[in-house]
Amino acid sequence: ALTAEVLLGGQEDEVEAALWVALRSLEENVELSRRLAKRASDAGHTRAAQQHQEHSNEMEQRTELVQRLLRTGVEGAGERYRKTHRSHAP
């Protein structure tokens, strides 16, 4: 878990850079999953479409967490996420 001690240890820039990379990756994953869900749906593959949409929804929740971390800081955001998304917490 990331704490204030990590941030105070002079690693703020590295943590922020990693969060930006994670955010971009998650955003790309959301978009890919949405496209795959649409293709599967258009092809009549309902179950595959649903699975891709569920994956997209999960990645979108994680995207929101990373966005929150970048806006408000790391400390406490992970705990807030775990309280509201217990089944999806990393």
Side-chain angles (χ1 to χ4, degrees):
L2 296 173
T3 65
E5 294 170 33
V6 170
L7 295 175
L8 294 174
Q11 298 180 355
E12 299 94 347
D13 292 341
E14 291 86 358
V15 171
E16 184 177 356
L19 287 171
W20 281 109
V21 169
L23 179 60
R24 182 67 183 142
S25 176
L26 287 166
E27 289 171 340
E28 290 174 356
N29 199 310
V30 168
E31 289 304 313
L32 175 61
S33 293
R34 285 180 183 161
R35 285 194 310 268
L36 290 172
K38 182 171 179 359
R39 285 183 188 172
S41 179
D42 290 349
H45 302 292
T46 310
R47 182 170 176 186
Q50 182 180 8
Q51 290 173 333
H52 287 300
Q53 187 59 49
E54 287 172 3
H55 182 74
S56 174
N57 294 342
E58 290 173 14
M59 293 301 102
E60 196 160 30
Q61 288 178 347
R62 292 180 182 164
T63 298
E64 291 168 5
L65 170 64
V66 174
Q67 289 171 334
R68 226 176 11 257
L69 289 171
L70 286 164
R71 275 195 313 270
T72 63
V74 175
E75 189 173 355
E79 183 59 30
R80 287 190 301 272
Y81 179 80
R82 283 188 287 281
K83 285 179 181 177
T84 58
H85 301 92
R86 292 208 186 273
S87 66
H88 300 293

